[in-house]
Amino acid sequence: MDFPVLSQSNSLRFPSDFLEKPKPYFPIRRRSTPLWSTTNHTPPSVPALSKISSIKCTVKETQNQEPFQSENGRKGWIHFVGIGGCGLSALAMLALKQGFEVSGSDVKWSSYMNGLQEAGARLHIGHSVLNLKGSDGSRLPNAIVVSSAIPHDNVEILHAKSAGVPVHKRDYWLGRLTECYKLIAVSGSHGKSTTASMLAYVLKAMGDDLTAVIGAHVPQFPEGNIISGGGHNFVLEADEYDGCFLGLSPYITVVTNLDWEHVDIFQDKEAVISTFRRFLDLIKVGGHLIIYGDSPDTRSLLNHRRQTTGSEYSSGMMPAPNLELFDEHYRITTYGISSLNDWHASSIRPNCHGGSDYTLFHREFPEVEISLQIPGVHNVLNSLAVIATVMALFSDRTQYYELISHVRLHLKSFNGVSRRFEMIGTICGCHIYDDYAHHPTEVHAVLQAARQRFPFKAIWVVFQPHSYSRLAALKDEFATALSDADHVVVTAVYAARDKGFWDASGSDLVASINGPPCEYISSLEAVVDKLVFQISKDLHRQVVVLTLGPGDITTVGPKVLHKLQQQYK
């Protein structure tokens, strides 16, 4: 089967104002009184933004300043089971930077383990009782931290428990690790990694000596997926999987969206919403909730809070502009595309960098023009969450317009996260990209971003379904999302954490896709050969190849590029 040229009928349909002609730049409208995030709040005289690193936030100090210490009071030895994953590897690296002795094990080597080994961690491939013995063969770790992907009957877990070594899941470790900080927890079914890394990047660039833990590699972070600072602010990608974020006590919580994503953990979307409601109950008194306001699902969290606290806001509709949302214990700020949100974007359009420009509004007032290097409406929303969070964090300490100006400057310099529409390479007319997308919402978002950056090129998608359970539950939604491509190849399922039998396969998904030509090729090596063959037939054909999925599909793009380069060097 030949790959088709671009079909305009398959192009994604942008929001009505997405391709709107850019408006001319306008000066900031000066208000007689700035709109602060808290009603009737007047900002005091504050230091310049360049001195933000010297600001010490007030936090409740606890007696135990470190999560775990050895008997002599020194920082102890922590062993991480499942250390090769994106989440646990970040915690292990932070532990190393904070002076802990670190070891860990996993079933196979991952790219995250390279940096850990260079930083001094002792790493083991395979799980064994021997991994828990010190250099002299007698000493045991002070604690074990376990990934959610590790089964309870793991040999290292069983041995640690029998020897009296504390065994903790990620939720407990994260709770202890962050309890002495002003925690900014970035949550949501999609966009957590990009939003959290964008927020941490902006705060660091502004001079804040923060700590951050991200569940993905961030090329602009020297340590890859963490920032180890000495200040009081801690930005954390807060994962709902297995209820991991329920051990936290955030000062600021960000909710980017809600979706039925982890179908192996949550029975349905209502179970996801219920878990997030429990999470919002953990926000500290005097804290802040930053929430996406355009979705009925996220608004349902506000409805629940209003009903619980007896507010009049319980109709499911957004309030009128300038109506301050508040909870009994914390403030609420909304963001989105709708003008009913506190922070919203208007006149979204592509820019010459391949990203998006838009006009930032605070309620009904236009503020500044925002420019991003990364494409997609979803990244516009991620940047709005960052803006709202920074303003909530520092608006009572720094001049309002100066703060917005600095956030605008650093947003423009953020380059994105690895495996989020990441360019692998270009050869002649072919552009190869890789993305982590493994849910229909994410597939739709990355295809929209690709159409934005390459409006006149054909989009070829190679999709590796991640987990049989997710494919079985969302097959029809995947088929709809993938139908926006110009050609689709679906591979065998990457099984991940699946248990039991699921009646779903990649070939079933292919049979459900209507519109573009599609085919099932189970082997990744066969996919590489097919792509090389098709591209070689017309090397100057204008095409974008997108490999999608969290599994080993990420190896396909580099292999295709390498073979083409060898063939035509």
Side-chain angles (χ1 to χ4, degrees), residues 90-104:
L91 298 181
M93 179 62 79
L94 183 60
L96 281 167
K97 295 298 178 181
Q98 293 179 335
F100 289 95
E101 180 184 351
V102 170
S103 65

Side-chain angles (χ1 to χ4, degrees), residues 7 14 39 46 103 179 224 235 301 310 370 372 442 458 470 502 514:
S7 168
F14 297 113
T39 305
V46 293
S103 65
E179 65 184 352
V235 172
L301 298 178
I370 300 293
L372 305 174
E442 297 164 354
R470 183 180 288 113
W502 295 88
N514 295 317

Side-chain angles (χ1 to χ4, degrees), residues 65-175:
Q65 292 298 306
E66 298 295 348
F68 298 101
Q69 295 178 335
S70 59
E71 292 181 358
N72 59 11
R74 297 179 181 177
K75 294 183 178 180
W77 168 19
I78 312 299
H79 181 78
F80 294 85
V81 184
I83 198 169
C86 57
L88 221 60
S89 63
L91 298 181
M93 179 62 79
L94 183 60
L96 281 167
K97 295 298 178 181
Q98 293 179 335
F100 289 95
E101 180 184 351
V102 170
S103 65
S105 61
D106 217 318
V107 292
K108 62 181 180 180
W109 195 267
S110 76
S111 59
Y112 293 107
M113 296 168 75
N114 296 330
L116 288 170
Q117 188 174 58
E118 293 173 4
R122 298 193 309 278
L123 303 177
H124 310 277
I125 299 302
H127 301 298
S128 168
V129 170
L130 297 177
N131 298 342
L132 303 185
K133 294 185 177 181
S135 55
D136 59 359
S138 61
R139 192 165 57 98
L140 290 170
N142 296 95
I144 307 291
V145 181
V146 182
S147 165
S148 298
I150 301 299
H152 297 295
D153 59 353
N154 176 276
V155 63
E156 295 180 14
I157 295 175
L158 295 177
H159 180 70
K161 288 182 176 179
S162 68
V165 177
V167 177
H168 304 294
K169 295 183 70 173
R170 270 196 311 157
D171 57 350
Y172 179 83
W173 172 264
L174 285 169

Side-chain angles (χ1 to χ4, degrees), residues 334-553:
T334 62
Y335 70 91
I337 304 301
S338 167
S339 60
L340 295 179
N341 291 291
D342 295 309
W343 295 96
H344 56 97
S346 180
S347 303
I348 304 171
R349 65 261 181 197
N351 61 32
C352 61
H353 305 292
S356 300
D357 290 348
Y358 65 90
T359 303
L360 173 67
F361 276 74
H362 186 212
R363 297 173 181 167
E364 76 270 33
F365 293 96
E367 299 289 355
V368 293
E369 296 294 309
I370 300 293
S371 184
L372 305 174
Q373 292 193 39
I374 49 180
V377 174
H378 63 294
N379 281 316
V380 170
L381 293 172
N382 293 338
S383 70
L384 287 170
V386 169
I387 292 167
T389 303
V390 173
M391 297 306 291
L393 188 62
F394 290 122
S395 63
D396 61 341
R397 299 178 180 273
T398 308
Q399 296 296 335
Y400 180 84
Y401 295 112
E402 184 182 13
L403 187 55
I404 290 181
S405 177
H406 279 75
V407 175
R408 171 179 178 263
L409 173 67
H410 299 307
L411 282 174
K412 188 175 182 178
S413 301
F414 179 68
N415 296 330
V417 179
S418 295
R419 302 218 58 212
R420 274 49 171 194
F421 200 65
E422 179 181 8
M423 188 179 75
I424 303 302
T426 300
I427 181 166
C428 298
C430 178
H431 304 262
I432 302 174
Y433 281 77
D434 182 48
D435 196 275
Y436 198 76
H438 57 286
H439 184 278
T441 300
E442 297 164 354
V443 172
H444 178 83
V446 71
L447 281 170
Q448 183 269 317
R451 292 287 187 208
Q452 174 189 332
R453 182 165 287 187
F454 301 104
F456 304 110
K457 298 182 187 295
I459 307 294
W460 300 352
V461 169
V462 182
F463 177 61
Q464 182 185 53
H466 185 262
S467 85
Y468 289 97
S469 56
R470 183 180 288 113
L471 179 57
L474 303 173
K475 179 169 63 70
D476 291 343
E477 290 83 355
F478 275 121
T480 300
L482 289 166
S483 67
D484 286 317
D486 295 297
H487 187 98
V488 179
V489 173
V490 179
T491 74
V493 177
Y494 189 87
R497 295 178 287 246
D498 281 314
K499 296 179 181 179
F501 174 77
W502 295 88
D503 186 18
S505 68
S507 58
D508 293 336
L509 176 57
V510 166
S512 301
I513 297 173
N514 295 317
C518 52
E519 57 187 311
Y520 174 69
I521 305 177
S522 62
S523 163
L524 296 187
E525 289 302 322
V527 170
V528 171
D529 293 340
K530 178 65 180 282
L531 288 173
V532 171
F533 174 74
Q534 291 290 347
I535 294 168
S536 299
K537 290 171 64 176
D538 182 0
L539 201 60
H540 295 281
R541 175 165 37 183
Q542 298 298 303
V543 64
V544 177
V545 175
L546 277 173
T547 56
L548 304 182
D552 52 359
I553 186 70

Side-chain angles (χ1 to χ4, degrees), residues 165-410:
V165 177
V167 177
H168 304 294
K169 295 183 70 173
R170 270 196 311 157
D171 57 350
Y172 179 83
W173 172 264
L174 285 169
R176 293 294 304 274
L177 182 67
T178 60
E179 65 184 352
C180 297
Y181 291 88
K182 179 174 279 190
L183 177 61
I184 306 161
V186 181
S187 69
S189 300
H190 315 292
K192 292 186 296 292
S193 296
T194 300
T195 304
S197 57
M198 187 188 294
L199 173 61
Y201 173 82
V202 167
L203 290 175
K204 184 68 175 178
M206 289 167 59
D208 187 26
D209 190 22
L210 79 158
T211 298
V213 171
I214 312 296
H217 181 265
V218 187
Q220 289 172 291
F221 290 1
E223 302 297 342
N225 52 358
I226 71 159
I227 296 174
S228 181
H232 284 302
N233 291 327
F234 194 124
V235 172
L236 175 68
E237 179 181 340
D239 190 4
E240 76 274 18
Y241 186 84
D242 203 20
C244 187
F245 59 13
L246 296 179
L248 303 175
S249 297
Y251 173 70
I252 294 179
T253 288
V254 179
V255 180
T256 60
N257 45 63
L258 292 179
D259 214 337
W260 189 30
E261 211 274 274
H262 298 295
V263 302
D264 57 328
I265 292 292
F266 301 105
Q267 182 176 359
D268 51 27
K269 185 182 284 188
E270 185 53 44
V272 178
I273 294 172
S274 176
T275 300
F276 271 84
R277 285 172 178 162
R278 292 170 60 196
F279 181 48
L280 297 194
D281 288 336
L282 302 175
I283 299 175
K284 290 183 176 180
V285 174
H288 211 123
L289 171 62
I290 312 294
I291 191 166
Y292 175 50
D294 290 344
S295 163
D297 295 320
T298 52
R299 288 202 304 269
S300 71
L301 298 178
L302 300 183
N303 298 345
H304 171 75
R305 302 304 301 172
R306 303 286 71 71
Q307 292 163 4
T308 299
T309 58
S311 168
E312 295 179 358
Y313 173 48
S314 59
S315 64
M317 300 294 292
M318 286 295 296
N322 295 325
L323 176 60
E324 186 74 21
L325 289 179
F326 62 92
D327 179 84
E328 182 181 356
H329 302 300
Y330 53 78
R331 294 166 291 172
I332 299 172
T333 296
T334 62
Y335 70 91
I337 304 301
S338 167
S339 60
L340 295 179
N341 291 291
D342 295 309
W343 295 96
H344 56 97
S346 180
S347 303
I348 304 171
R349 65 261 181 197
N351 61 32
C352 61
H353 305 292
S356 300
D357 290 348
Y358 65 90
T359 303
L360 173 67
F361 276 74
H362 186 212
R363 297 173 181 167
E364 76 270 33
F365 293 96
E367 299 289 355
V368 293
E369 296 294 309
I370 300 293
S371 184
L372 305 174
Q373 292 193 39
I374 49 180
V377 174
H378 63 294
N379 281 316
V380 170
L381 293 172
N382 293 338
S383 70
L384 287 170
V386 169
I387 292 167
T389 303
V390 173
M391 297 306 291
L393 188 62
F394 290 122
S395 63
D396 61 341
R397 299 178 180 273
T398 308
Q399 296 296 335
Y400 180 84
Y401 295 112
E402 184 182 13
L403 187 55
I404 290 181
S405 177
H406 279 75
V407 175
R408 171 179 178 263
L409 173 67
H410 299 307

